[in-house]
Amino acid sequence: DVQPVLEETCRQIGQLEPERKITLSAAPGLTYTGDRDALKQVMIIALDNALKHSSGEINVSAEQKDAQVEIRVQDAGEGMPPEKLAHIFDRFFRGEDAAEPGFGLGLAIARSLVEAQGGKIAMESEPGQGSTLIVNL
């Protein structure tokens, strides 16, 4: 069941910055066959990135898309240009925020975890429009 994993992760990450609002909208009864712990790790990475790279509200949604569950993590940050977006799943890629702590491995790890379960992960982003991480399982 996807909803309890998303609720738990949103609650835990929300404690890192209690003043930030993380909203969750998940269709009831969404299930997938996969690794619960891997899904939780992917969500931790996604939400941590959204906290680091935006200052406003973060929206998490989950719904059925054909035979898959689609999870979206949307922020209202600065977004990124296509030339940077093309590399965000590369190991050690850190984009503009090289001063931020981290090694540039989070999204590469998330991709490995999602693909190991037969899923797909993608990012949509435009400068000035924020970013949306999309996970299909």
Side-chain angles (χ1 to χ4, degrees), residues 26-77:
L30 288 177
T31 61
Y32 84 106
T33 302
D35 184 337
R36 179 191 192 283
D37 292 334
L39 174 58
K40 186 170 179 184
Q41 185 63 42
V42 169
M43 292 306 300
I44 288 170
I45 291 167
L47 289 167
D48 183 58
N49 276 338
L51 284 176
K52 283 181 187 173
H53 300 290
S54 70
S55 58
E57 185 174 329
I58 298 167
N59 297 301
V60 179
S61 63
E63 63 183 0
Q64 191 77 37
K65 287 278 187 159
D66 299 320
Q68 295 187 323
V69 171
E70 182 173 279
I71 301 167
R72 292 176 164 257
V73 178
Q74 181 179 25
D75 67 50

Side-chain angles (χ1 to χ4, degrees), residues 6-23 40 44 47-48 51 58:
L6 298 180
E7 288 173 349
E8 179 182 341
T9 310
C10 288
R11 184 180 62 251
Q12 288 175 339
I13 295 298
Q15 291 175 1
L16 297 175
E17 289 189 36
E19 69 281 358
R20 298 279 297 275
K21 184 174 181 182
I22 300 175
T23 61
K40 186 170 179 184
I44 288 170
L47 289 167
D48 183 58
L51 284 176
I58 298 167

Side-chain angles (χ1 to χ4, degrees), residues 22-137:
I22 300 175
T23 61
L24 172 61
S25 171
L30 288 177
T31 61
Y32 84 106
T33 302
D35 184 337
R36 179 191 192 283
D37 292 334
L39 174 58
K40 186 170 179 184
Q41 185 63 42
V42 169
M43 292 306 300
I44 288 170
I45 291 167
L47 289 167
D48 183 58
N49 276 338
L51 284 176
K52 283 181 187 173
H53 300 290
S54 70
S55 58
E57 185 174 329
I58 298 167
N59 297 301
V60 179
S61 63
E63 63 183 0
Q64 191 77 37
K65 287 278 187 159
D66 299 320
Q68 295 187 323
V69 171
E70 182 173 279
I71 301 167
R72 292 176 164 257
V73 178
Q74 181 179 25
D75 67 50
E78 294 179 13
M80 65 187 87
E83 60 271 11
K84 296 206 185 314
L85 187 59
H87 297 284
I88 60 154
F89 294 106
D90 295 349
R91 292 175 62 196
F92 306 112
F93 181 76
R94 297 195 41 203
E96 298 290 324
D97 296 326
E100 287 285 327
F103 297 101
L105 292 172
L107 289 174
I109 291 168
R111 180 179 63 189
S112 294
L113 291 169
V114 169
E115 289 178 352
Q117 298 180 78
K120 296 198 181 296
I121 188 169
M123 178 79 76
E124 294 176 350
S125 186
E126 290 185 37
Q129 301 297 314
S131 300
T132 303
L133 185 73
I134 305 162
V135 175
N136 287 67
L137 298 166

